[in-house]
Amino acid sequence: VIIAVEMKKDSEIKLDVSKQITNKVGQVEAKETGAELRNEIRRVYNQVAALYNRDRENLHGQRLLRFFIEALPKQASVLDLGCGSGVPVAETLLRKGFLVTGLDFSETQIQLARKNCPRGAFFLRDVATLQPAEFSVDAVVCLYTLFHLPRQRHAEFLKILASFLPIAGMALLSFGEKDFEGWHDFYGQRIWSSQFGPKTNRELLSAAGFVIV
């Protein structure tokens, strides 16, 4: 599910980044376990890059991408989180004259993004390490990325994204369609995803200061 959102009028958004992440059974997730999980997800995306990118070129939500582009100011700065190979999102934004910075933790995908979109700036970075107010941009894109973070972190992560944006700043985000956490098939590999259903996702967006447009 892809959703276009914008920041509401100025409001205080409190971030508590000190809370421990817990898993489904309420146990504290060990730091090394979290690192191992991220490394495995990274390995899978490196492994399946060619197959995954073939499908991502046919992005679901092209209508919302067009709406998002039309809502942006000229030469807007856009942060693309989980940018993949840069196709089709960063490629389209750059073609429209926007300034794109892309982050991805897949070495293969970042190499492809730099090749496919030479006018963009692409960096090898795990979005799980982003900090509040680390970036200041006009808009954020985060597609097919949030649900690879533990869902206990989704509220915090959305507030971090909000801290990058001005009032009325736009974001194009994707969420899972149903409540789920666990391993599943992914282009012949096994990958881990963690997501809430639509009701909770809407509540988290509102709590982070976003409205759906």
Side-chain angles (χ1 to χ4, degrees):
V1 177
I2 300 176
I3 298 174
V5 295
E6 70 174 358
M7 283 299 298
K8 296 189 290 191
K9 62 182 180 180
D10 196 17
S11 59
E12 183 182 10
I13 299 174
K14 296 181 180 179
L15 286 170
D16 183 357
V17 297
S18 65
K19 289 183 177 178
Q20 294 175 310
I21 300 170
T22 57
N23 62 22
K24 288 201 299 183
V25 295
Q27 298 173 332
V28 176
E29 180 182 339
K31 290 183 179 179
E32 61 271 23
T33 303
E36 290 170 0
L37 186 63
R38 296 300 290 169
N39 286 336
E40 178 60 15
I41 295 169
R42 177 189 295 111
R43 184 199 68 77
V44 171
Y45 272 100
N46 283 332
Q47 183 73 26
V48 306
L51 291 172
Y52 175 75
N53 292 337
R54 180 194 63 194
D55 283 349
R56 183 155 172 166
E57 289 181 11
N58 301 314
L59 176 72
H60 299 296
Q62 287 284 358
R63 179 185 61 82
L64 278 176
L65 179 59
R66 290 193 296 270
F67 171 81
F68 177 76
I69 288 171
E70 291 170 0
L72 298 181
K74 289 184 178 180
Q75 295 186 321
S77 57
V78 183
L79 182 63
D80 187 359
L81 302 175
C83 63
S85 70
V87 180
V89 177
E91 178 186 56
T92 302
L93 292 169
L94 288 163
R95 190 168 61 245
K96 296 292 185 179
F98 301 116
L99 308 175
V100 178
T101 299
L103 307 181
D104 204 291
F105 70 170
S106 164
E107 297 87 351
T108 301
Q109 296 286 40
I110 283 295
Q111 290 173 5
L112 289 170
R114 290 169 176 165
K115 178 181 178 181
N116 293 333
C117 307
R119 290 190 293 118
F122 298 94
F123 301 95
L124 188 65
R125 174 76 183 274
D126 188 348
V127 300
T129 67
L130 290 171
Q131 299 298 312
E134 183 177 349
F135 290 89
S136 178
V137 292
D138 297 309
V140 169
V141 175
C142 186
L143 300 180
Y144 310 120
T145 296
L146 178 64
F147 45 59
H148 292 313
L149 297 176
R151 57 186 179 181
Q152 293 85 358
R153 285 202 60 197
H154 289 190
E156 171 199 336
F157 187 76
L158 289 171
K159 290 177 181 179
I160 289 173
L161 300 192
S163 76
F164 300 162
L165 295 169
I167 299 170
M170 294 290 294
L172 187 65
L173 312 173
S174 64
F175 296 86
E177 294 181 327
K178 60 182 180 181
D179 190 270
F180 174 80
E181 186 173 68
W183 295 90
H184 58 94
D185 293 333
F186 185 74
Y187 296 98
Q189 300 285 320
R190 297 284 288 173
I191 202 166
W192 186 85
S193 296
S194 182
Q195 62 196 42
F196 293 110
K199 181 177 183 294
T200 300
N201 290 331
R202 287 192 294 269
E203 292 170 352
L204 295 181
L205 283 167
S206 179
F210 290 109
V211 291
I212 299 174
V213 294

